[in-house]
Amino acid sequence: MKLRADIANVYRELHSWVGVVAGLFLFIAFYAGAISMFEPALETWLTPRISLPEAVPLERAPELMGKVFAAFPESRRSYTIVVSTDPDHPARMVWSPHPARHGHGSQTLMMAALDSRGRLVTAQRRPSSVAQVIDTLHQQMGLPLPHEPAMIVMGFITLGYALALVSGTLIFLPALARAIFAVRLKGSVRRKWLDLHNLLGFCSLPFHIVMALTSVVFAFHDVIFTVQAEFLSHEQGEVRQGGHGMRAMAALSQQGMHPAHETTALTPAEVVSILSREVPGFTPDTLDYSTRPGSVPMLRIAGHDPGHIMRGPNSGFTTMDPFTGRLLWRDYLPGYQSRSFAALTSFFSLHFGSYGGAPVRWAYLVLGFAGAFLFYTGNRLWIAVRRRKEKASGLESDTRGTRILWRLTVGCCAGCMAGIAIILLVAMFQPGLNVRLSPFWLYQGVFWLFMGLACLGILDGFWFFLVASILNLAVVAGALRHFGTDSETSLGVALVALVLGVSVGYSLWRKMRLRSVPSSAH
Amino acid sequence: MKKKPLDNRRWLAKALAGLIPGAVLSLGVMVLVGHLCGSTGNPMTMSAQWLMWLAAFLWIICICACFLFRTGLGAWLGFGWMACLVWLINTLISGSDVSGGS
């Protein structure tokens, strides 16, 4: 395949410039995204365990629900029955004291249980928000803005990401057969970074195509759906009002439901037995009951099926008529979707890595860090190319452009690594501090401190990465100290932080050695 | 006469053409396909969701292709007239829907 020389040149320029600008944000998105693959495990691990009497069997859930409704009438509006309880989620019934935020991120939950004499015991669970903050950093690419504007800015950056991806592929394709797997680690610095960047980019191309397309959709789906509602809806009804998501789902799933007063609701045990009969293979995790003012109660069931792709990051969904047990809506039910819906779900699932269980999550963790490294190599390559050109034209030191990009790259990458390490360390050693000081702003403080210091140019880039490496090694120590609660997660966190800390440290050590023995390689 | 080689001198105008008329064009094509396949625009339906992905995909293509125009004005006109055409057809279709339905 041969691309016309001037077109190739246009896309090469575009790839460098768009890639360099978007790369800084994408590093944060991929680095935080890789960690957020284990968000639920991380949240549970960092949240102190609540001691409650042993959960009542599912068959006794109605008794528990009755007592909770009597003591906390507001819980009727929205509550959850947990199907499989464990030491980290010990309550059979939970509800949010702030129902407006229900279903979005980590929130304070009320948990209820019955003691041996059948008396109601409640406790409040305040989950550590660190895992949620890392996910927010991923979604917002670290932008210190409120969610809505951040998502719009993020959307434009992802369009740049898509452009960089397409242009990068176009310019690399002609040289594909010759250059793939040719990693010349010795020789010129520019060639090393180019080969690493090409190899990483090519091997993870399908992953990046999925990420670019899905993130554009995550940013702009509301706008696109509003246009659809405006120009395609034939009704003047609810959907046309621009509200989408839950409202539309409620409207769709309540079609043909029984009015609430005609019959009594099914018990959770009956719901679970209907599910195991109707949709074997789907394991329900939670039964979410909610009643909107002036409408019939709704039952949304979240569950998983490791053998199938799932719509959400951790689960698939269905809705049921809580009176008749009829499944109202199977479009997001793993393994029971129509082919077209399954194809749609696969886009989300490929973004979230919500298929195939733990091995796929670990693979996504590796791909995420590799993605972050890809953007780092891209920026290093840009700098190496510019330095070569500048040296060839007789300049002794970097020009302003090269210097600024180098400082931004150092501040952004090291600041992101250090910021995340620090909020994890604070959560492990000083959980109280995270309550008083939002981890999001703590991260932002560290990040912008790194950015500021790097941009001032007082210190060499080496020291920033050294601090990032040491902080990650401190996370290893913290994770091992935290071992008592959940050894599996502790080991996982320690392992990931060790690999990060050691690999950054090793590259610094190599660099130091190269500096002390001046070679002709540069 | 040999054409001048393509360059990135008018990159901002071209990029804005991909972003603005490119978006109008992508959304227009989405609405047109929606009309043709009888979608209701309810976000929980399959057709609406496929159309949403289609719009995003087309917009990305516009943003990648806008740099192939020789001038910024050419990019604006290129995407602009296509967008006008698509939305004209959409208006005609929805007009005939309303008159046919009433």
Side-chain angles (χ1 to χ4, degrees), chain A residues 435-485:
Chain A
V435 178
R436 290 195 300 279
L437 191 69
S438 149
F440 182 76
W441 293 113
L442 179 61
Y443 166 86
Q444 294 292 355
V446 175
F447 178 80
W448 289 106
L449 178 71
F450 269 64
M451 282 293 261
L453 287 176
C455 285
L456 284 176
I458 306 166
L459 288 169
D460 188 50
F462 178 87
W463 298 105
F464 293 93
F465 283 110
L466 184 66
V467 174
S469 166
I470 292 170
L471 284 170
N472 270 296
L473 294 176
V475 172
V476 180
L480 295 176
R481 182 175 169 265
H482 215 68
F483 204 71
T485 48

Side-chain angles (χ1 to χ4, degrees), chain A residues 180-317:
Chain A
I180 185 74
F181 300 127
V183 180
R184 294 157 288 192
L185 286 175
K186 295 204 169 141
S188 97
V189 180
R190 183 191 68 90
R191 266 216 322 251
K192 179 182 86 174
W193 288 116
L194 176 68
D195 290 344
L196 267 178
H197 185 73
N198 282 347
L199 180 67
L200 262 177
F202 182 75
C203 290
S204 49
L205 185 62
F207 176 74
H208 285 286
I209 292 173
V210 167
M211 292 303 155
L213 188 59
T214 44
S215 34
V216 170
V217 161
F218 288 153
F220 295 111
H221 68 281
D222 268 339
V223 181
I224 301 175
F225 277 133
T226 308
V227 173
Q228 285 193 22
E230 191 59 42
F231 294 97
L232 288 175
S233 172
H234 305 296
E235 309 153 20
Q236 300 297 315
E238 193 165 358
V239 176
R240 186 156 187 160
Q241 301 298 316
H244 98 278
M246 286 310 283
R247 196 190 315 171
M249 186 169 109
L252 197 77
S253 57
Q254 283 182 8
Q255 288 164 6
M257 267 178 66
H258 277 233
H261 51 83
E262 276 186 16
T263 42
T264 51
L266 294 166
T267 64
E270 286 168 331
V271 169
V272 170
S273 97
I274 289 172
L275 281 172
S276 66
R277 198 174 61 234
E278 291 270 317
V279 283
F282 175 72
T283 314
D285 296 324
T286 56
L287 314 179
D288 301 306
Y289 293 83
S290 60
T291 312
R292 290 155 52 81
S295 107
V296 289
M298 199 170 105
L299 170 56
R300 181 175 183 264
I301 298 151
H304 65 274
D305 183 347
H308 289 95
I309 51 173
M310 292 185 291
R311 176 75 176 210
N314 303 300
S315 41
F317 311 97

Side-chain angles (χ1 to χ4, degrees), chain A residues 6 10-11 13 228 332 340, chain B residues 6 8 40 44 46 48-49 64:
Chain A
D6 57 339
V10 159
Y11 280 112
E13 275 181 26
Q228 285 193 22
Y332 291 177
S340 300
Chain B
L6 206 61
N8 277 326
T40 59
M44 298 315 287
M46 194 163 59
Q49 294 193 13
C64 295

Side-chain angles (χ1 to χ4, degrees), chain A residues 350-373:
Chain A
L350 283 168
H351 184 109
F352 295 135
S354 55
Y355 57 97
V360 171
R361 285 189 183 267
W362 278 102
Y364 265 62
L365 180 105
V366 174
L367 279 168
F369 285 130
F373 187 56

